Amino acid sequence: MANSRQTNDSADSWQHGGSTDALASPFPCSVVLVGLMGAGKTAVGRLLAERLSLPFVDADREIEAAAGLTISEIFAKHGEPFFREREEKVMSRLLSGPPHVIAAGGGAFMSAATRERIRTTAIAVWLKADIDLLVKRTAKRNHRPLLANDNPRAVLERLSRERDPVYATADITVETTEEPADIVAARVAAALRARIEAGRSEEHTSELQSH
């Protein structure tokens, strides 16, 4: 969960321009989209960033830019532990900067250090999709090293068993289907707005009780 003081102080100037318009003022903290590969984090993230009047960043692309290698090349040359170390450093840098919508890699949220940084500086949103949809989406691309040498369905099922309990600790869960990315982005934006407004309501109630 994002730091409540930071979020609520900034939320005072956060006004929505309409049901589908971008916000008149940027969203007050970073939003981190988490979930398995194929969940739609990049596609939804770009559209969500427009709605929240925030920049969008894809953490995997940031890792590639820093390393001068693709994700597949990093895995092949240095192995997964090396990649996870670089991923944690990139996430730390992104979360230390100004608010963004961040599409995190599928394994990024498995890092306890990254989850703690998100908890204190951002709002985590789990894009939850069923295995059939993930298999269908990931079959369209061959750039994912974890799916390169095995049965993709079996790998995704294993990752789901391992990661879903951790993803479930995210601040917000939004289930995705084959609906368009802009519809998912709208639902995420609505959930974020409700969370901010609930936080402001709780703060107001606490202030009244203290008098």
Side-chain angles (χ1 to χ4, degrees):
M1 175 180 175
N3 178 280
S4 60
R5 180 176 180 81
Q6 173 194 2
T7 301
N8 291 326
D9 286 351
S10 302
D12 291 337
S13 61
W14 181 38
Q15 300 295 326
H16 197 271
S19 60
T20 60
D21 296 335
L23 299 177
S25 299
F27 194 73
C29 66
S30 285
V31 177
V32 183
L33 301 181
V34 304
L36 287 173
M37 58 190 89
K41 299 185 295 290
T42 298
V44 172
R46 292 185 189 282
L47 295 167
L48 179 65
E50 293 179 7
R51 288 178 172 271
L52 302 184
S53 298
L54 289 178
F56 170 77
V57 61
D58 185 315
D60 280 352
R61 301 294 81 77
E62 291 294 306
I63 295 169
E64 290 180 332
L69 299 168
T70 66
I71 301 298
S72 294
E73 289 170 340
I74 295 173
F75 268 71
K77 291 186 177 183
H78 302 290
E80 185 174 356
F82 177 90
F83 171 78
R84 297 302 174 196
E85 179 184 336
R86 294 302 184 273
E87 180 177 56
E88 191 172 290
K89 290 180 178 178
V90 166
M91 289 298 295
S92 177
R93 172 172 61 80
L94 294 175
L95 290 164
S96 297
H100 285 73
V101 172
I102 302 170
F109 202 60
M110 302 305 290
S111 162
T114 296
R115 290 198 302 276
E116 177 61 18
R117 291 187 187 98
I118 293 172
R119 185 187 69 80
T120 58
T121 63
I123 296 176
V125 179
W126 177 22
L127 297 185
K128 183 179 181 181
D130 66 34
I131 295 298
D132 287 340
L133 181 58
L134 297 175
V135 170
K136 180 179 179 180
R137 286 178 174 173
T138 56
K140 298 176 182 178
R141 292 185 169 185
N142 60 3
H143 69 289
R144 305 175 190 274
L146 292 180
L147 300 181
N149 300 313
D150 289 290
N151 180 310
R153 175 177 289 275
V155 173
L156 287 166
E157 288 174 344
R158 174 179 59 80
L159 291 174
S160 178
R161 289 192 299 270
E162 295 171 356
R163 295 179 179 179
D164 281 7
V166 180
Y167 292 150
T169 67
D171 302 294
I172 295 170
T173 297
V174 173
E175 295 198 8
T176 67
T177 60
E178 295 204 44
E179 60 195 352
D182 60 336
I183 301 299
V184 180
R187 291 201 285 119
V188 174
L192 289 164
R193 180 179 177 85
R195 185 176 184 85
I196 292 295
E197 291 179 345
R200 293 174 65 183
S201 177
E202 290 174 5
E203 184 179 71
H204 180 63
T205 299
S206 297
E207 289 175 351
L208 291 175
Q209 291 174 344
S210 67
H211 291 307

